[in-house]
Amino acid sequence: MDKKYCFIISAMRSGSTLLKALIATRPDCSDFPETPFADYNIVESDKRIIVLKKPPGFENIEYPELPAIEAKKIILIRNPHDTVRSLKQVFISRNKTDSVFNDKEFLISYWYMVYSNIIKKKIMEDGNSMVVRYEDLITNPKEETSRVFKFIGTDFPEGTDTYSVPNNYNWEWRKDDGGDVIKTLQVQKSNKEGLIDKELVAFIQSDKDIQFVLNYFGYYSNSIPECVI
């Protein structure tokens, strides 16, 4: 069987666990825990489409480093305000009191690093890449997943808004997710959506580099959270 590969490229807290779980509902798509893209050739699966994702840590400034193979690339992006807020919430819940985890400029620079690297490396220009915005995924899951399924070439392109618990590993923070929302097995907005950090919003709006990245990934032409406009 000829294998096809799909890499989900994203920052942490952007919905990569959710998207991979939704893709794994297709009978011909794999369901692995977080796996570096470079390990594509050592994973074992009887599925035709191998899907890998592993968001970078703060220290991985070269991300994404992609193997020289033909593969579909899904650029998964979430607006920087909600990404930063979600990162802070996770660190607080895990008693991470180091000042770096509470530094909003540091956290947003991480978001910027990931997506500006994608632009610099011209990943979107190879004809094998697509963008999925987290906001679109949770608002219109069946439409967005159908678009994803057709892009990666699964034989089961009907969209879905539900998924299953993986049968070969557990969702865990820093391995996958493990949060309460993902465990509902239903696409839904967090009950903390809508909380606005006005100081962070002002920073995002005043930073031309951040605005360029947002524009590149289509945020100005879609319905998105007001805070990132």
Side-chain angles (χ1 to χ4, degrees), residues 129-162:
S129 303
M130 74 177 296
V131 174
V132 174
R133 287 171 286 272
Y134 174 82
E135 295 79 13
D136 296 333
L137 183 63
I138 62 172
T139 302
N140 301 298
K142 290 186 176 180
E143 179 181 322
E144 283 297 292
T145 53
S146 179
R147 192 169 69 93
V148 168
F149 297 157
K150 292 172 182 176
F151 171 72
I152 66 177
T154 172
D155 293 332
F156 307 88
E158 184 178 356
T160 184
D161 60 0
T162 59

Side-chain angles (χ1 to χ4, degrees), residues 195-212:
L195 301 177
I196 303 299
D197 182 331
K198 293 182 179 179
E199 181 181 320
L200 181 56
V201 170
F203 181 83
I204 292 169
Q205 291 175 334
S206 66
D207 192 291
K208 293 182 179 179
D209 291 332
I210 294 173
Q211 292 297 312
F212 174 81

Side-chain angles (χ1 to χ4, degrees), residues 28-130:
D28 53 358
C29 295
S30 69
D31 189 6
F32 292 107
E34 290 194 349
T35 304
F37 304 138
D39 290 346
Y40 77 94
N41 58 344
I42 62 174
V43 295
E44 296 184 1
S45 175
D46 60 355
K47 307 297 185 181
R48 183 172 63 86
I49 301 174
I50 306 300
V51 182
L52 300 180
K53 71 99 170 177
K54 187 173 178 61
F58 298 123
E59 72 287 349
N60 191 353
I61 62 173
E62 297 300 323
Y63 182 90
E65 296 176 284
L66 302 174
I69 64 169
E70 183 174 340
K72 298 288 187 179
K73 277 88 67 179
I74 300 175
I75 314 302
L76 177 62
I77 183 169
R78 184 181 192 182
N79 76 76
H81 173 278
D82 290 352
T83 302
V84 168
R85 192 192 61 192
S86 182
L87 283 166
K88 288 189 67 176
Q89 287 172 348
V90 169
F91 294 136
I92 290 171
S93 70
R94 286 160 177 77
N95 296 316
K96 298 288 188 180
T97 57
D98 191 302
S99 60
V100 72
F101 299 127
N102 292 300
D103 185 335
K104 287 179 283 193
E105 290 192 23
F106 172 80
L107 295 176
I108 206 165
S109 70
Y110 163 77
W111 178 95
Y112 177 77
M113 174 198 75
V114 172
Y115 296 104
S116 63
N117 278 356
I118 291 168
I119 297 173
K120 291 174 185 175
K121 294 185 178 188
K122 300 182 178 180
I123 291 172
M124 289 297 300
E125 298 178 18
D126 68 358
N128 280 318
S129 303
M130 74 177 296

